[in-house]
Amino acid sequence: MNILGIETSADETSVAVVRDGREVLSCSVASSMKIHVSTGGIVPENAARKQIEYIIPTLEDALTTAFPDEDIKNKKKLFSNIDAIAVTIGHGLIGSLLVGVETAKTLATIFDKPIIPVDHVKAHVYGAFLGETAPQFPAIALIVSGGHTGIVLMKDHHTFEWVGGTRDDAAGECFDKCARLLGLPYPGGPSIAKAAQAFMEKNKDFKFNLFPRPMIHDKTSDMSFSGLKTAVKQMVEKNKKEALYSIEQLAAEVQAAIVDTLITKTEIATLEKKPKSLIVCGGVSANIELRNAFQALQSIKLPFLDLHVPPFKYTTDNAAMVASYAFFNNNPQEPKEVYPNPELHF
Ligand code: KG4
Ligand code: ZN
């Protein structure tokens, strides 16, 4: 079964074709990141305007990559290869979501295809199904992105049972806000990682403990990141007067505090729920230190379970994970019943 996925929840415009949930025939992504770098973050109106411009070229690129022998002008024949259309209806920015949803509804109506609405936060888990091996159930999934940070227990494809998560900011949001405080460019995660790497290369085996890890001693899987952001703000002020630390060191400290928190809280959830697989997914799972820390956790403390992290290109928002989720949660709706819903809940 070939599913065409469409993802426009924030700044990316992505279209993919995925066969039977795991084989990616194509995944095209057009990003408006450069514009957001100049504004220091996403301005929703700017993102949606670019998505209107990008959606048709991205769709055509995904289709021609997936079916190189077909004539792109013969859309009817091209779409005979597609069995269903999956589209992100939430979480996300309303203007951005509308671009993807209206495109999906139009295609579904013209070519008479079922349409499968998708919550892209849940779909992040399916980035891990696009790796070499599929996770097994029950699985614990840490979904860690710019807008969400939560740990869920999945007994099967359809159950996302909340185990714990942030009580305030998401981990990605914390990366982004701390980067801004440190004067590093948007998006904050990659720029903090880069600055941190520069410090760590020169300071091997350094012990990072400058910033607090709020709620780390709490026995639940709940966590908090807003205190870290405040601590960074205060430290930046102090540093302006006293020049105690380099920006690279502060970046490494921020990264270490976020990684420690995510590791500790996921370990608690995993020991409690005893899953077969541990999945770490969402934009922040692109972070190398986080990936290394999870690998160490798995091999030293949790050797009884297998760890699944999406291939890098399927960590941040992309349509392949949306199409994969739709294959395993095939719940088609009438086009007229599909609407964007920016604030879906688990
Ligand atoms: O999942 P995603 O693409 O969008 C949302 O659903 O929010 O995640 C974007 C988030 C941003 O906060 C970005 O700073 C973070 O993922 N991110 C990273 C890295 N790459 C992206 N955070 C830490 N290290 C990275 N390498
Ligand atoms: Zn996302």
Side-chain angles (χ1 to χ4, degrees), residues 170-301:
E173 186 182 355
C174 186
F175 267 114
D176 295 337
K177 287 180 176 167
C178 291
R180 193 191 275 237
L181 290 168
L182 296 175
L184 295 168
Y186 178 85
S191 52
I192 285 195
K194 191 171 163 209
Q197 185 60 24
F199 180 82
M200 289 186 301
E201 270 168 19
K202 288 186 227 130
N203 298 276
K204 303 255 184 264
D205 301 323
F206 193 89
K207 295 274 173 282
F208 296 103
N209 54 18
L210 186 63
F211 293 128
R213 280 95 168 121
M215 293 185 71
I216 200 122
H217 299 300
D218 168 280
K219 298 273 177 270
T220 73
S221 294
D222 281 342
M223 50 194 121
S224 160
F225 292 104
S226 69
L228 172 57
K229 183 186 62 193
T230 309
V232 172
K233 190 165 189 278
Q234 287 164 351
M235 182 58 74
V236 167
E237 292 303 319
K238 194 170 172 210
N239 211 34
K240 271 186 201 150
K241 294 182 203 128
E242 301 173 36
L244 300 168
Y245 307 102
S246 66
I247 294 299
E248 284 75 18
Q249 178 169 355
L250 293 178
E253 291 282 3
V254 168
Q255 178 173 261
I258 295 174
V259 170
D260 281 356
T261 304
L262 294 173
I263 289 281
T264 305
K265 295 302 182 170
T266 310
E267 186 186 351
I268 292 173
T270 307
L271 292 174
E272 186 191 324
K273 301 293 178 187
K274 302 189 174 42
K276 285 187 183 154
S277 297
L278 171 58
I279 299 168
V280 184
C281 59
V284 179
S285 72
N287 186 278
I288 305 281
E289 286 304 307
L290 184 70
R291 292 166 93 101
N292 290 344
F294 268 107
Q295 243 146 32
L297 174 74
Q298 187 270 336
S299 63
I300 297 165
K301 291 191 179 170

Side-chain angles (χ1 to χ4, degrees), residues 120 124 145-147 172-173 175-176 187-190 193 282-284 286-287 315-317:
H120 106 270
H124 270 300
S145 71
E173 186 182 355
F175 267 114
D176 295 337
V284 179
N287 186 278
T315 53
T316 46
D317 295 340

Side-chain angles (χ1 to χ4, degrees), residues 42-64:
I42 300 180
V43 176
E45 174 73 11
N46 293 347
R49 279 170 191 254
K50 279 289 155 197
Q51 283 162 325
I52 291 169
E53 191 181 320
Y54 293 160
I55 189 72
I56 300 295
T58 311
L59 172 69
E60 294 204 337
D61 187 63
L63 288 169
T64 46

